[in-house]
């Protein structure tokens, strides 16, 4: 690696470290001034405060349950999708993985519409809240199982299975499943399960809206964030934040380290064949694929329906009528609610800043990890986990870090700086760029670069004219994901931007829904904004799907 | 499906490049446009951001009085441009002011009540405003009558119950707070949290007086522990308790309704509001037990460091007869002006109760002891876990 690349790598690592560590460090310092430095006191405070009691148990149990249900629902889908041929296959795959990129606040609105009084009408029964949450998490995360498993299933050379059929341990379907498919799929399933666990563990919007009185560590941090870090005022909230952060960080870091190890070890070379040889048509498989498709789109359709359906109190009681009043309300806004156009512009602005920083930074970090893997594998692994740190920190912690950290620097200028939420978005999206770019960089054929070097092309020219074109697909996918994630980011923005004059689309959705429900237009207006955000996100995702390459083996 | 055929650009040789140059001009121009758009979109947040001394930034929560019509009329009359920062509840307003102390771009805080005001004054968050408080009734000025905050509405916080459920057969009308700790009330009482909700805090303060906190006994904590053991529903705010859980109000017509509580904390005039909206019918009633209700006064206060002039203009507007007389119908609270009362139409006044013996805890006692009381409440709610 020459000096220029070393310099670029060092700069990228340093910048990323500063982005992550400075706000978090400042916030931690401010909180410790209130709580004291004893981690035992922090964690003990969770059980000593009413608002945070049983939060850890609830978070763990719902995350584990969500992970198990996600695997149960998604594995059959991945199996049939991967092992058989389907008409409109690309569209089916896109629809089934769409839930993952849909912002969780939209999922929450759609699911509330389904379980509410004009849907299944099960909301009044407390016993349904738990299952609604778990099923929502499964809906949200099923794309992970499908993405991780389907490429392997669709390209594994059928000769392996045919050979096993001849052997004593492969004569029955069950034995082939146990001796071939389980060992092959287990790493992918475990890696996907770890990520599902991480996303379910840090769930905020779905927990906030679907459960009525429960909190995860993430949502309780968000709820108490407004009074954290103030000496002599509501000091227990600072203890709750530190305790929840420490526990969440430890559990998530462990999960992410495990994912990293498994993903790296998934590079094992397996005999592959063209999908046309591997996959056969399967009519009974429609019994799995069709319900899966319905499951995937139902919350999204209900958001759109909910934007036109308005509660109407007539003489015979509560009913509803159809109209565009909710759209009108959302479009025009009021003194208390920004117009939709303002939220869209803010969201697009933050997304633009985020991608301008996260994309090159993420690429540089991925490139650095790849270079280090050849020379110093342990350091590479360390850097790999370090880049995933914002996952372990979670959106609420990042938001709190940005809020308290920047306040510590300058309380006034921080809140006159419109782009402040972008800092949180950059911290949260850069790891995704690394996760997408790293497998692509790993799979680059270096011979192109080496030949160009032999022919006298300079480092920068080779980067622009060889590496970038070869990585074009992954770059576009990264860009789309960064934009989609920034547009849909809720947890960090809830803390940073909610108390400012700059609303984003997810915050506007939440604000409309949280308005006391005497106003029959609250829910339709919320769903209207959610519909717009959903359509933008779907458009971006479907565009990105054209560039996805199964062979990369990446998460996305 | 992405192709794996790499575009090698100049490395592929000159002739191919010359032939494709023309076709590449349009994509290059398009790419340039996209880059320019991406670079300029961040500036969209700055468009229209001009210096204007006649601005007013209000931090508040869902105060019904601040309708669009009220704000627009103020803007038209004064030429002051109003921006509203809407937070969750009264507690959030105090959190916000403390957290962002030192800022100069928030001018007016509307919605803190006499339970939160003392702490705001203690933290030196408020500024003296130039407001004419003549004409404000004495009981509104009772908790606080200084220049740092002006009352704009008031009401008595008390328990409300659903008369269709609490009818003597299904459930018995409580004659003591201890009745709510009995088995028949298990899981059927919804109370807003005193940590975050101003009515919730008012009710908690009432229970302190009800159980004679000055005597130093532990009945206060015992009762709350018993309520916790009896599965009391604690919500973050009033609207969640009233709309989502309470069966006696309008909640059953809302989409988030659950309806598992038959008694909740609201205002002694809330049944009057229900009757007014339902054209002289309500199934909700106020429970007027001695020392279980608490006078809540809500304030508008200029924020230290903000624009006191525009803040004062808005406060004067808010307590003007034209605006404040509409409090019962627009804000569903009592006006603070003398000579004003609830309307008689549709049973509003008839179904509203003025408690005979409300709790009495001074604002000074509240600001001195609130942290301790909240800790005791917290200990009571977590004891035995």
């Amino acid at each position: 690696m020459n000096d220029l690349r070393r310099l670029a790598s060092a700069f990228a690592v340093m910048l990323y470290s500063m982005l992550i560590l400075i706000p978090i460090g400042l916030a931690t310092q401010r909180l410790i001034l209130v709580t004291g430095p004893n981690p035992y006191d922090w964690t003990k405070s969770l059980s000593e405060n009413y608002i945070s009691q049983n939060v850890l148990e609830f978070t763990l149990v719902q995350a584990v349950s969500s992970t198990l249900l996600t695997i149960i629902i998604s594995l059959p889908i991945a199996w049939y999708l991967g092992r058989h041929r389907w008409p409109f296959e690309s569209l089916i795959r896109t629809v089934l993985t769409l839930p993952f990129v849909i912002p969780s606040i939209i999922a929450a609105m759609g699911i509330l519409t389904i379980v509410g009084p004009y849907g299944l009408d099960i909301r009044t029964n407390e016993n349904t809240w738990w299952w609604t949450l778990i099923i929502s998490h499964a809906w949200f995360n099923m794309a992970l199982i499908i993405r991780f498993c389907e490429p392997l299933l669709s390209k594994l050379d059928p000769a392996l299975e045919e050979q096993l059929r001849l052997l004593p341990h492969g004569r029955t379907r069950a034995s082939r499943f146990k001796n071939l498919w389980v060992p092959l799929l287990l790493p992918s399933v475990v890696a996907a399960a770890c990520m599902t666990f991480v996303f379910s563990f840090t769930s905020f919007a779905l927990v906030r809206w679907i459960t009525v009185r429960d909190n995860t560590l993430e949502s309780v941090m968000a709820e108490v964030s407004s009074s954290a870090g103030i000496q002599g005022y509501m000091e227990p909230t600072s203890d709750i934040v530190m305790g929840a952060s420490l526990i969440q960080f430890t559990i998530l870091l462990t999960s992410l380290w495990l994912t990293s190890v498994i993903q790296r070890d998934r590079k094992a070379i397996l005999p592959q064949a063209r999908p046309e040889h591997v996959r056969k048509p399967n009519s009974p498989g429609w019994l799995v694929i069709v319900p899966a498709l319905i499951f995937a789109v139902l919350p999204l359709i209900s958001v759109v329906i909910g934007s036109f359906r308005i509660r109407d109190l007539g003489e015979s009681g509560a009913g509803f009528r159809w109209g565009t009043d909710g759209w009108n309300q959302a479009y025009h806004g009021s003194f208390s609610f920004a117009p939709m156009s303002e939220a869209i512009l803010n969201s697009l602005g933050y997304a633009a800043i985020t991608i301008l920083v996260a994309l090159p930074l993420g690429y540089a970090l991925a490139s650095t990890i790849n270079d280090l893997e050849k020379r110093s594998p342990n350091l590479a692994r360390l850097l790999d986990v370090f880049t995933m740190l914002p996952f372990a920190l979670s959106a609420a912690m990042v938001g709190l870090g940005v809020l308290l950290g920047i306040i510590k620097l300058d309380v006034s200028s921080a809140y006159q700086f419109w782009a402040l939420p972008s800092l949180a978005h950059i911290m949260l999206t850069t790891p995704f760029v690394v996760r997408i770019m790293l497998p692509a960089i790993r799979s680059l054929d270096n011979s192109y670069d080496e030949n160009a070097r032999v022919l006298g092309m300079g480092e920068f020219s080779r980067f622009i004219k060889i590496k970038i074109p070869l990585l074009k697909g992954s770059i576009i996918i990264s860009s789309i994901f960064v934009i989609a994630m920034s547009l849909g980011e809720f947890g960090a923005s809830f803390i940073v931007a909610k108390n400012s004059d700059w609303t984003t689309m997810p915050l506007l959705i939440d604000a409309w829904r949280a308005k006391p429900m005497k106003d029959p237009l609250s829910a339709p207006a919320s769903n209207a904004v959610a519909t717009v955000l959903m359509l933008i996100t779907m458009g971006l995702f479907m565009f990105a799907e054209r560039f996805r390459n199964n062979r990369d083996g990446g998460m996305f | 499906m992405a192709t794996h055929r790499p575009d090698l650009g100049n490395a592929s040789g000159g002739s191919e490049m010359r032939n494709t140059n023309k076709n590449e001009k349009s994509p290059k121009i398009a790419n340039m446009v996209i880059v320019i758009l991406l670079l300029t979109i961040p500036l969209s947040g700055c468009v229209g951001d001009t210096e204007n001394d006649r601005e007013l930034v209000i931090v508040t929560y869902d105060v019904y009085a601040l309708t669009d019509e009220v704000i627009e009329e103020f803007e038209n009359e004064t030429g002051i441009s109003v921006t509203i920062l809407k937070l969750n509840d009264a507690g959030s307003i105090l959190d916000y002011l403390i957290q962002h102390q030192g800022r100069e771009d928030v001018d007016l805080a509307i919605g803190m009540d006499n339970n939160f005001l003392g702490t705001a004054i203690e933290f030196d968050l408020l500024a003296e405003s130039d407001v004419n408080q003549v004409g404000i009734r004495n009981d509104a000025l009772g908790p606080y009558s200084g220049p740092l905050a002006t009352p704009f509405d008031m009401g008595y916080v008390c328990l409300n119950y659903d008369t269709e459920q609490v009818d003597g057969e299904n459930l018995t009308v409580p004659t003591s707070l201890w009745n709510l700790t009995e088995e028949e009330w298990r899981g059927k009482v919804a109370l807003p949290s005193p940590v975050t909700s101003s009515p919730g805090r008012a009710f908690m303060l009432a229970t302190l007086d009800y159980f004679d906190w000055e005597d130093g006994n532990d009945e206060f904590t015992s009762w709350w522990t018993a309520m916790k053991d009896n599965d009391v529903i604690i919500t973050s705010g009033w609207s969640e308790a009233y709309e989502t859980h309470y069966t006696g109000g309008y909640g059953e017509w809302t989409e988030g309704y659950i309806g598992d509580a038959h008694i909740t904390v609201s205002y002694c005039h809330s049944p009057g509001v229900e009757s007014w909206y339902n054209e002289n019918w309500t199934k909700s009633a106020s429970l007027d037990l001695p020392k279980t209700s608490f006078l809540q006064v809500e304030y508008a206060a200029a924020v230290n460091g903000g624009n006191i002039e525009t803040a004062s203009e808005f406060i004067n507007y808010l307590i003007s007869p034209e605006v404040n007389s509409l409090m019962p119908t627009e804000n569903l609270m009592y006006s603070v002006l003398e000579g004003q009362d609830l309307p008689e139409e549709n049973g509003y006044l008839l179904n509203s109760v003025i408690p005979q013996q409300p709790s009495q805890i001074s604002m000074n006692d509240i600001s001195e002891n609130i942290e301790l009381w909240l800790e005791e409440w917290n200990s009571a709610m977590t004891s035995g876990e």
Side-chain angles (χ1 to χ4, degrees):
Chain A
M1 192 161 71
N2 64 18
D3 290 341
L4 188 62
R5 274 177 71 162
R6 279 205 190 91
L7 195 63
S9 293
F11 177 74
V13 174
M14 194 178 65
L15 177 63
Y16 188 69
S17 305
M18 281 169 56
L19 278 176
I20 303 292
L21 298 176
I22 289 180
I24 302 295
L26 289 172
T28 307
Q29 186 190 25
R30 182 176 163 132
L31 286 164
I32 288 179
L33 276 176
V34 177
T35 64
N38 189 343
Y40 176 69
D41 289 339
W42 306 340
T43 52
K44 200 159 63 90
S45 71
L46 291 178
S47 58
E48 288 176 349
N49 281 283
Y50 181 71
I51 192 174
S52 57
Q53 259 192 339
N54 303 319
V55 160
L56 178 58
E57 293 92 301
F58 176 78
T59 309
L60 274 172
V61 173
Q62 65 83 20
V64 170
S65 306
S66 300
T67 304
L68 289 172
L69 184 66
T70 306
I71 294 172
I72 291 169
I73 287 177
S74 312
L75 258 184
I77 299 170
W79 176 270
Y80 280 100
L81 195 62
R83 296 296 292 170
H84 301 284
R85 254 196 325 267
W86 305 98
F88 307 109
E89 185 176 299
S90 176
L91 180 63
I92 291 175
R93 191 181 291 117
T94 300
V95 170
L96 288 174
T97 51
L98 195 56
F100 188 73
V101 294
I102 294 293
S104 53
I105 185 72
I106 294 176
M109 296 301 110
I111 288 158
L112 277 181
T113 308
I114 292 172
V115 302
Y118 306 124
L120 298 174
D121 196 14
I122 57 174
R123 187 92 176 111
T124 53
N125 184 350
E126 183 174 348
N127 295 328
T128 65
W129 302 343
W130 167 261
W131 284 109
T132 307
L133 179 69
I134 305 304
I135 292 171
S136 306
H137 284 159
W139 177 88
F140 196 74
N141 291 304
M142 67 179 179
L144 286 172
I145 306 286
I146 294 172
R147 285 283 205 207
F148 272 73
C149 298
E150 192 246 334
L152 175 70
L153 288 165
S154 64
K155 291 193 177 68
L156 189 71
D157 193 336
L160 267 184
E161 193 177 3
E162 287 159 14
Q163 288 164 14
L164 187 62
R165 280 174 195 265
L166 301 173
L167 300 171
H169 291 296
R171 294 229 169 94
T172 64
R173 193 177 285 186
S175 62
R176 287 196 299 277
F177 183 76
K178 181 184 154 200
N179 296 312
L180 176 67
W181 293 113
V182 169
L184 285 178
L185 285 175
L186 195 61
S188 300
V189 171
V190 171
C194 287
M195 292 308 299
T196 302
F197 176 82
V198 165
F199 289 120
S200 302
F201 195 91
T202 56
S203 184
F204 176 30
L206 287 168
V207 170
R208 174 174 157 80
W209 284 107
I210 290 175
T211 67
V212 177
R213 289 194 290 281
D214 293 306
N215 272 312
T216 53
L217 290 168
E218 181 85 344
S219 62
V220 85
M221 271 196 283
E223 295 292 342
V224 304
S225 60
S226 61
S227 57
I230 304 171
Q231 279 181 295
Y233 177 73
M234 306 286 276
E235 292 190 348
T237 57
S238 298
D239 288 307
I240 290 171
V241 167
M242 290 301 287
S245 302
L246 182 64
I247 293 172
Q248 184 156 281
F249 180 76
T250 307
I251 291 175
L252 294 180
L253 195 64
T254 308
S255 306
L256 292 169
W257 173 80
L258 198 58
T259 308
S260 168
V261 166
I262 292 168
Q263 256 205 317
R264 197 189 56 252
D265 291 348
R266 265 189 336 135
K267 284 192 301 183
I269 306 295
L270 293 166
Q272 294 192 341
R274 289 166 64 87
E276 291 79 13
H277 291 308
V278 175
R279 303 155 88 204
K280 307 171 186 55
N282 184 314
S283 299
W286 284 112
L287 292 173
V288 171
I289 297 295
V290 169
L293 288 169
I294 295 172
F295 181 57
V297 302
L298 200 56
L300 308 180
I301 293 173
S302 68
V303 166
V304 180
I305 292 174
S307 70
F308 294 103
R309 197 175 60 192
I310 300 156
R311 198 175 73 239
D312 192 23
L313 281 180
E315 286 181 1
S316 56
F320 59 88
R321 59 181 176 86
W322 301 97
T324 55
D325 306 51
W327 282 88
N328 209 32
Q329 183 91 313
Y331 179 77
H332 290 291
S334 67
F335 280 101
S336 300
F337 296 90
M340 201 193 309
S341 56
E342 186 178 313
I344 291 173
L345 276 177
N346 281 338
S347 290
L348 287 174
Y350 295 144
I353 294 174
T354 303
I355 193 175
L356 283 174
V357 178
L359 189 61
L361 181 59
Y363 171 81
L365 289 168
S367 188
T368 306
I369 294 170
N370 183 58
D371 290 338
L372 282 174
E373 277 173 349
K374 295 164 196 145
R375 300 182 299 118
S376 179
N378 287 335
L379 193 58
R381 199 174 306 165
L382 192 66
L383 182 58
D384 194 354
V385 175
F386 181 65
T387 60
M388 303 261 266
L389 210 59
F391 283 149
L393 290 174
S394 87
M397 289 160 66
V398 166
L400 205 54
V402 169
L403 177 72
L404 296 181
I406 302 302
I407 280 178
K408 204 164 153 56
L409 286 175
D410 184 339
V411 65
S412 283
S413 64
Y415 287 88
Q416 290 160 2
F417 184 44
W418 169 83
L420 185 66
S422 302
L423 177 57
H425 294 188
I426 291 166
M427 290 164 74
L428 290 166
T429 55
T430 304
F432 278 92
V433 177
V434 174
R435 293 268 62 79
I436 295 170
M437 297 297 307
L438 187 55
I441 293 172
R442 280 177 181 147
S443 62
L444 273 182
D445 186 347
N446 284 329
S447 60
Y448 291 116
D449 188 67
E450 285 163 6
N451 290 338
R453 197 169 3 154
V454 164
L455 291 170
M457 197 182 266
E459 173 90 38
F460 187 69
S461 294
R462 295 200 313 274
F463 175 74
I464 296 292
K465 291 176 181 167
I466 296 178
K467 274 215 171 115
I468 297 289
L470 287 175
L471 293 171
K472 184 171 72 174
S474 298
I475 290 173
I476 290 175
I477 293 174
S478 302
S479 308
I480 300 296
F481 266 91
V482 166
I483 294 173
M485 288 187 64
S486 175
L487 288 175
E489 205 289 314
F490 181 67
S493 304
F494 185 84
I495 295 170
V496 177
K498 188 173 165 66
N499 294 341
S500 70
D501 196 20
W502 319 308
T503 194
T504 62
M505 281 194 281
L507 291 183
L508 189 59
I509 295 167
D510 182 78
W512 272 116
R513 193 71 190 212
K515 189 177 184 218
M517 296 286 256
K518 275 177 58 62
D519 183 355
L521 295 181
S522 301
S526 171
N527 282 317
V529 183
T531 300
V532 171
L533 179 57
M534 182 175 72
L535 291 174
I536 295 175
T537 310
M538 279 170 63
L540 288 171
F541 178 64
M542 284 174 170
F543 178 68
E545 278 295 278
R546 293 160 58 185
F547 299 93
R548 195 177 84 88
N549 180 0
N550 275 350
R551 253 184 246 177
D552 286 347
M555 189 157 80
F556 300 101
Chain B
M1 180 88 109
T3 177
H4 286 282
R5 188 187 178 80
D7 175 10
L8 300 178
N10 282 330
S12 69
S15 58
E16 276 190 41
M17 284 302 297
R18 279 198 290 273
N19 290 339
T20 59
N21 262 348
K22 260 191 211 173
N23 296 332
E24 285 185 354
K25 270 189 186 166
S26 301
K28 276 187 181 167
I29 292 171
N31 290 341
M32 190 65 71
V33 169
I34 290 170
V35 167
I36 291 171
L37 276 176
L38 282 174
L39 288 173
T40 52
I41 278 175
L43 299 175
S44 66
C46 309
V47 169
D49 197 10
T50 55
E51 273 297 317
N52 184 355
D53 286 336
R54 302 288 287 171
E55 277 187 344
L56 176 69
V57 177
I58 303 174
V59 60
T60 184
Y61 68 98
D62 260 308
V63 174
Y64 296 152
L66 299 178
T67 63
D68 285 356
E69 292 74 24
V70 163
I71 307 282
E72 266 173 34
E73 195 174 318
F74 174 77
E75 285 190 328
N76 292 337
E77 281 180 15
T78 61
I80 296 172
S81 166
V82 175
T83 303
I84 293 191
L85 297 180
K86 200 163 71 74
L87 306 177
N88 289 334
D89 43 48
S92 300
I93 298 175
L94 183 58
D95 293 346
Y96 181 90
L97 293 178
I98 296 176
Q99 197 73 271
H100 304 150
Q101 200 169 7
R103 284 179 66 184
E104 295 178 348
D105 49 356
V106 174
D107 308 306
L108 178 60
I110 294 181
M112 279 190 295
D113 69 358
N114 46 316
N115 301 319
F116 289 92
L117 184 66
T119 309
I121 293 174
E122 213 173 280
F123 273 82
D124 196 26
L125 300 172
L126 308 177
E128 290 188 15
S129 50
D130 180 21
V131 173
N132 182 3
Q133 295 188 356
V134 171
I136 295 179
R137 47 197 282 181
N138 288 335
D139 49 359
L141 292 171
Y144 177 78
S145 59
L148 292 175
T150 303
F152 71 92
D153 74 24
M154 55 187 277
Y156 284 96
V157 170
C158 68
L159 291 165
N160 287 188
Y161 65 93
D162 178 357
T163 57
E164 286 185 358
Q165 297 291 331
V166 189
D167 55 1
E169 289 180 17
N170 293 311
L171 289 164
T172 317
V173 178
T175 54
S176 154
L177 285 185
W178 283 106
N179 293 145
L180 297 177
T181 66
E182 291 162 8
E183 187 59 32
E184 66 171 349
W185 284 102
R186 180 176 291 280
K188 298 191 175 92
V189 181
L191 305 176
S193 166
V195 178
T196 47
S197 162
S198 54
R201 185 169 292 195
F203 180 70
M204 185 202 75
L205 293 169
T207 61
L208 276 161
D209 198 25
Y210 183 89
F211 294 114
D212 300 318
W213 67 281
E214 286 171 309
D215 293 345
N217 61 51
D218 65 352
E219 276 199 79
F220 167 77
T221 48
S222 299
W223 183 79
W224 279 102
T225 299
M227 289 297 288
K228 183 257 304 182
D229 292 337
N230 211 29
D231 297 339
V232 66
I233 301 164
I234 300 291
T235 64
S236 60
W238 168 87
S239 58
E240 192 188 327
Y242 196 85
E243 289 178 5
T244 305
H245 296 285
Y246 181 50
T247 56
Y250 63 81
E252 63 183 296
W253 311 120
T254 64
E255 290 195 30
Y257 180 70
I258 292 169
D260 48 357
H262 305 311
I263 195 167
T264 189
V265 164
S266 187
Y267 294 91
C268 295
H269 63 275
S270 292
V273 174
E274 293 282 346
S275 175
W276 187 63
Y277 272 106
N278 292 329
E279 295 176 356
N280 206 11
W281 177 87
T282 178
K283 58 179 174 172
S284 188
S286 297
L287 186 68
D288 185 16
L289 297 178
K291 297 208 284 185
T292 60
S293 56
F294 196 93
L295 176 64
Q296 180 194 55
V297 180
E298 287 191 299
Y299 297 92
V303 177
N304 226 342
N307 189 328
I308 296 176
E309 184 202 336
T310 54
S312 302
E313 283 196 54
F314 193 90
I315 299 173
N316 280 314
Y317 173 72
L318 200 56
I319 60 169
S320 65
E322 297 77 29
V323 177
N324 207 264
S325 62
L326 298 176
M327 282 296 148
T329 51
E330 295 296 323
N331 197 30
L332 312 178
M333 294 287 280
Y334 283 86
S335 165
V336 295
L337 298 179
E338 283 169 354
Q340 298 287 336
D341 204 346
L342 302 177
E344 292 183 12
E345 290 88 357
N346 289 332
Y348 196 147
L349 184 60
L350 184 69
N351 288 286
S352 298
V353 165
I354 303 282
Q356 296 188 4
Q357 194 183 345
S359 297
Q360 302 282 348
I361 301 184
S362 72
M363 216 174 74
N364 279 343
D365 280 337
I366 294 171
S367 64
E368 272 178 28
N369 296 291
I370 189 62
E371 294 275 330
L372 174 65
W373 289 335
L374 288 173
E375 268 179 45
E376 286 184 12
W377 178 85
N378 184 67
S379 296
M381 299 301 286
T382 54
S383 70
E385 298 288 334

